[in-house]
Amino acid sequence: MSATGVDGRPGLADATRGRILFGGDYNPEQWPEETWHEDVRLMREAGVNSVTLGVFSWAKLEPRPGVREFGWLDRLMELVHENGIGVVLATPTSSPPPWMGRLHPDTLPRDEDGRTEWWGGRQHFSHSSATYRRYAAAITEDLAARYGSHPALTMWHINNEYCTYDWGDEAAGTFRRWLQDRYGTLDALNTAWGTAFWSQGYGDWQEILPPRHAHYLNNPTQVLDFKRYTSDMLLECYAAERDIVRRHSPGIPVTTNFMPLWAGQDAWTWARQEDVVSVDLYPDPRDPFGAQDGALVQDLTRSQARGPWMLMEQAAGPVNWRGVNHPKPRGLNRLWSLQAVARGADAVCYFQWRQSRQGAEKFHSGMVGHAGKQGRTYQEVRQLGAELARIGAEVTGRRSSAEVAVLHEWNAWWAGAQDGRPSREVDLPRVLRAWHRALWESHVTTDFAHPEHDLSGYRLVVVPQLYLLTDTAIDGLVAYVRGGGTLVCGFLTGIADEDDRVRPGGMDARLRELFGIRVLHEWWPLDPGEHAECEGFRGTLWSEEIEAGDAETHSRYKGGELDGLPAVLRRERAWYVSTLPEPDALRALLAGVAAEAGVRPVLDGLPARVEAVRRGDLLFVLNHGREPVTVAVPGTYRDLLGGRPVTDSLELGRYGVAVLAP
Ligand code: GLA
């Protein structure tokens, strides 16, 4: 098998082999074996070419400590293989069997109040528990030895949605060791954490705890380090299992599935440790911005993958974890699946194949719902499977390129999301969505990037908000602008250093100079529903009392305490936006700056609710509206889905999609 991934490792192309992977989590241990045969028949009918097995099978594989029951999985692997379906095989380590909690209570995590997370749900494992890690390594070893060279195996899937925290005693020990590695000495830790305030000075490592329930605000840098540490501990668990499966199957790529825009893992760091980057994505079908939400996560995942990526899970219909769980109207599953493909996915998979009749997720849709093969959900899945098979060879492996990068970073999120800040209303995902939406609605394709990445390939870099920035990142942004790039920065950026220490002047001096800000006097956060009147628009969420130096003021605050002060200013190609403009205004501002930077929309004159994305030389056009539209597409194309030729103009019905090849 050829190595198609990054750094000579196997990659997604080794699993897809020119097809779009289509399928999903298959949990057949819920069903009698006759049903498996019916399942496989329906899978073939639906064009399913990939199933993910074993995600929650630990109790079935190891019913008692050390006992192995692989017979059922042997039969299942053979069955799907005989039917030409590949297997993404999961290590079952996200849901330990009940015997583990009973025999080894040390494997159970504790929350910040000291409460135990008991078995009976799932993901009740402590990342720090040596016992848990020992059992996890042992079952992974045996699974990998048995199936590592099985012909059905296309990919390894480690654990599932790593998302646990632990404030318990064993975790306190690993936290101390992590801190010793980071700081070396207690003096360095005391300095970084600013423990001189509130009598927090540590004289012995044993005094240090995870940030447990406290009378009043926890030390912010302790909380920040706890988040860094948690991400690192989970990554250690992942890497331990990954290294085991790699030993047994060196040619098989390895992944673990991210949750979308999830705060618990530094996904930039994690992505580097994976052969395939995969994500689970569940936009709300009722959310008017569901498509944009999807696009944001898809752009972020593609950027982390540095190429094609895997949509590991989505829902064919409703989920069961919102307050009200809406089904997908006819056509929406197809539309959102093809949107993921447009934005770089080479795999379109679901949770789960057959809807459960029992257990916690029996009201969560499956590819085959309670209505069975007659149901609309399955019928639409089947249609989609046929279409993905039709376009797979021409789509897979192609890359999309963007001229704009949006910067996002986890340390900034962790430090900025704590209590004791100027405003609890400022929520990074909300701000990020607002800025990404402005670009999405301007039909400009965006990558995401880490602030320390090389940004020189982008015409425009957008920083919705990065409260914490390292010196390296700040120097990089300054160099980017000096090198000819255009930068737009939102409020509350560059405030803190790596230890969450406020930079002198309230905002880093290099950035103030870059934007031409002489003094940042005060932040004036806004209440929910409150607006700051500015020339040409209204600001929300935040405003600032800024004194410009050699900046050019683009727009001023009008009325109130900030009357006449700059709201948006620029110094040459470096823009600073001190509030969150309302959506239309933010879109107009960014579209203007992008045009000045030479960034073009994918297509001119696109109707609202129509998305256009280029993937290689293919042009995807997607109608997110319920009304039919006519779209101008200058040139002559072949529509890979409809098979028809298209010249200059395209008709798309409700939720219609065209994939145009030159
Ligand atoms: C996550 C999990 C799945 C399932 C779905 C439900 O993505 O990985 O096991 O619980 O959520 O939406």
Side-chain angles (χ1 to χ4, degrees):
M1 204 177 265
S2 65
T4 60
V6 177
D7 305 331
R9 289 282 315 150
L12 185 52
D14 291 297
T16 60
R17 296 179 217 142
R19 305 152 312 158
I20 294 169
L21 293 188
F22 182 62
D25 282 20
Y26 182 34
N27 301 304
E29 52 268 57
Q30 304 172 84
W31 308 95
E33 294 201 16
E34 307 87 78
T35 311
W36 303 4
H37 292 271
E38 158 82 356
D39 281 333
V40 170
R41 254 197 320 280
L42 289 180
M43 285 178 191
R44 287 180 58 151
E45 207 180 280
V48 166
N49 56 28
S50 177
V51 288
T52 302
L53 299 181
V55 177
F56 295 110
S57 301
W58 201 344
K60 182 102 177 149
L61 292 168
E62 187 173 3
R64 290 177 303 288
V67 170
R68 298 287 183 260
E69 284 198 359
F70 286 130
W72 66 276
L73 188 53
D74 292 350
R75 291 195 295 286
L76 192 63
M77 294 281 288
E78 278 316 307
L79 177 67
V80 296
H81 180 54
E82 281 161 15
N83 283 276
I85 297 166
V87 173
V88 176
L89 188 57
T91 62
T93 50
S94 77
S95 197
W99 57 254
M100 196 181 302
R102 187 169 77 91
L103 298 178
H104 306 287
D106 52 305
T107 60
L108 302 170
R110 299 275 177 90
D111 73 8
E112 51 214 304
D113 295 317
R115 287 178 311 183
T116 300
E117 291 186 0
W118 298 99
W119 61 92
R122 66 177 189 187
Q123 287 153 320
H124 47 279
F125 67 89
S126 162
H127 51 58
S128 285
S129 159
T131 311
Y132 163 77
R133 286 191 182 203
R134 200 170 55 245
Y135 276 111
I139 188 74
T140 300
E141 183 76 44
D142 291 353
L143 201 65
R146 193 165 186 99
Y147 302 108
S149 46
H150 194 288
L153 182 69
T154 61
M155 204 184 301
W156 282 105
H157 173 313
I158 305 295
N159 201 282
N160 189 64
E161 292 190 339
Y162 277 103
C163 61
T164 53
Y165 294 85
D166 188 9
W167 284 260
D169 290 340
E170 200 165 352
T174 56
F175 186 42
R176 283 176 207 127
R177 277 199 293 285
W178 184 93
L179 292 166
Q180 280 163 349
D181 283 349
R182 182 174 176 87
Y183 295 109
T185 65
L186 269 182
D187 277 354
L189 178 141
N190 280 313
T191 304
W193 287 14
T195 56
F197 193 62
W198 281 2
S199 171
Q200 290 174 351
Y202 292 100
D204 189 306
W205 289 98
Q206 291 307 312
E207 292 161 5
I208 298 174
L209 292 173
R212 291 178 179 165
H213 178 91
H215 176 73
Y216 189 43
L217 303 173
N218 286 97
N219 179 300
T221 313
Q222 181 185 6
V223 173
L224 169 60
D225 275 343
F226 183 68
K227 302 221 162 142
R228 290 172 168 149
Y229 143 88
T230 299
S231 179
D232 285 356
M233 294 308 283
L234 292 171
L235 187 57
E236 263 185 34
C237 292
Y238 161 79
E241 294 180 30
R242 177 204 58 194
D243 292 349
I244 293 170
V245 301
R246 275 187 179 169
R247 210 165 8 87
H248 290 277
S249 23
I252 300 288
V254 187
T255 190
T256 182
N257 47 345
F258 290 152
M259 283 191 267
L261 209 57
W262 168 247
Q265 286 161 295
D266 174 353
W268 291 116
T269 305
W270 277 69
R272 292 282 192 270
Q273 302 288 326
E274 296 182 275
D275 301 325
V276 171
V277 178
S278 59
V279 77
D280 302 341
L281 179 56
Y282 295 94
D284 185 346
R286 275 288 174 92
D287 180 350
F289 302 109
Q292 183 239 320
D293 230 31
L296 185 156
V297 171
Q298 292 157 10
D299 289 343
L300 181 59
T301 311
R302 184 189 62 248
S303 305
Q304 286 157 352
R306 297 181 281 172
W309 52 279
M310 176 166 192
L311 177 56
M312 179 69 85
E313 291 180 24
Q314 61 171 339
V319 299
N320 69 327
W321 40 261
R322 293 197 167 95
V324 179
N325 297 293
H326 298 285
K328 285 184 168 164
R330 186 180 293 277
L332 192 65
N333 177 36
R334 172 181 186 263
L335 174 69
W336 283 0
S337 299
L338 288 164
Q339 182 194 31
V341 176
R343 292 183 178 273
D346 274 358
V348 173
C349 299
Y350 294 82
F351 174 84
Q352 60 177 330
W353 163 252
R354 188 183 278 279
Q355 185 166 16
S356 302
R357 290 186 55 207
Q358 291 184 292
E361 295 188 312
K362 58 183 178 293
F363 295 117
H364 189 295
S365 57
M367 298 167 80
V368 182
H370 291 313
K373 70 178 192 183
Q374 262 98 44
R376 174 174 67 82
T377 302
Y378 173 73
Q379 291 304 325
E380 288 192 41
V381 159
R382 193 177 139 170
Q383 183 207 341
L384 177 64
E387 291 188 309
L388 293 177
R390 205 175 310 144
I391 66 173
E394 298 199 62
V395 170
T396 47
R398 285 175 196 257
R399 288 164 183 263
S400 33
S401 57
E403 296 177 320
V404 180
V406 175
L407 304 193
H408 173 59
E409 200 279 313
W410 267 259
N411 289 272
W413 190 1
W414 292 329
Q418 299 187 28
D419 282 340
R421 305 271 156 191
S423 168
R424 282 200 192 132
E425 293 301 311
V426 177
D427 168 55
L428 182 58
R430 174 177 168 191
V431 174
L432 206 55
R433 283 194 180 100
W435 284 73
H436 182 271
R437 178 180 158 195
L439 291 159
W440 188 75
E441 289 179 344
S442 307
H443 308 292
V444 166
T445 307
T446 56
D447 281 347
F448 276 81
H450 185 284
E452 292 183 0
H453 284 173
D454 174 11
L455 303 170
S456 58
Y458 295 105
R459 289 178 188 272
L460 173 64
V461 167
V462 172
V463 183
Q465 183 173 95
L466 286 172
Y467 160 82
L468 176 158
L469 278 173
T470 61
D471 286 335
T472 311
I474 292 171
D475 291 340
L477 289 177
V478 172
Y480 168 73
V481 175
R482 297 242 159 88
T486 299
L487 175 70
V488 190
C489 249
F491 65 85
L492 211 60
T493 290
I495 308 307
D497 70 10
E498 228 173 321
D499 297 329
D500 194 13
R501 189 183 287 106
V502 175
R503 298 221 179 236
M507 178 191 200
D508 184 80
R510 288 159 291 186
L511 290 179
R512 276 186 282 123
E513 196 199 327
L514 187 67
F515 301 124
I517 296 172
R518 210 176 73 79
V519 188
L520 169 53
H521 290 284
E522 288 293 351
W523 294 305
W524 291 78
L526 303 176
D527 282 327
E530 189 183 355
H531 294 106
E533 290 299 331
C534 303
E535 288 165 354
F537 71 92
R538 294 198 306 180
T540 64
L541 209 57
W542 192 265
S543 57
E544 284 179 5
E545 187 177 343
I546 293 176
E547 197 178 313
D550 52 358
E552 185 189 317
T553 297
H554 178 78
S555 170
R556 290 171 203 282
Y557 289 103
K558 285 197 314 191
E561 284 293 329
L562 306 182
D563 188 43
L565 293 179
V568 179
L569 48 74
R570 69 183 290 187
R571 190 165 159 238
E572 296 169 12
R573 291 180 310 281
W575 292 72
Y576 183 70
V577 185
S578 70
T579 179
L580 183 65
E582 284 187 326
D584 289 353
L586 187 57
R587 185 173 65 239
L589 176 72
L590 277 181
V593 177
E596 197 179 302
V599 175
R600 308 268 322 129
V602 180
L603 284 178
D604 286 318
L606 279 175
R609 313 285 305 149
V610 173
E611 176 180 14
V613 190
R614 285 189 199 282
R615 193 169 168 190
D617 57 0
L618 300 178
L619 175 63
F620 285 71
V621 189
L622 306 105
N623 178 15
H624 291 286
R626 288 167 164 265
E627 301 305 322
V629 286
T630 305
V631 185
V633 284
T636 300
Y637 306 87
R638 186 168 44 97
D639 180 1
L640 300 184
L641 288 171
R644 58 196 164 146
V646 170
T647 304
D648 295 335
S649 164
L650 175 69
E651 308 289 323
L652 288 176
R654 155 189 157 138
Y655 298 153
V657 184
V659 182
L660 303 180

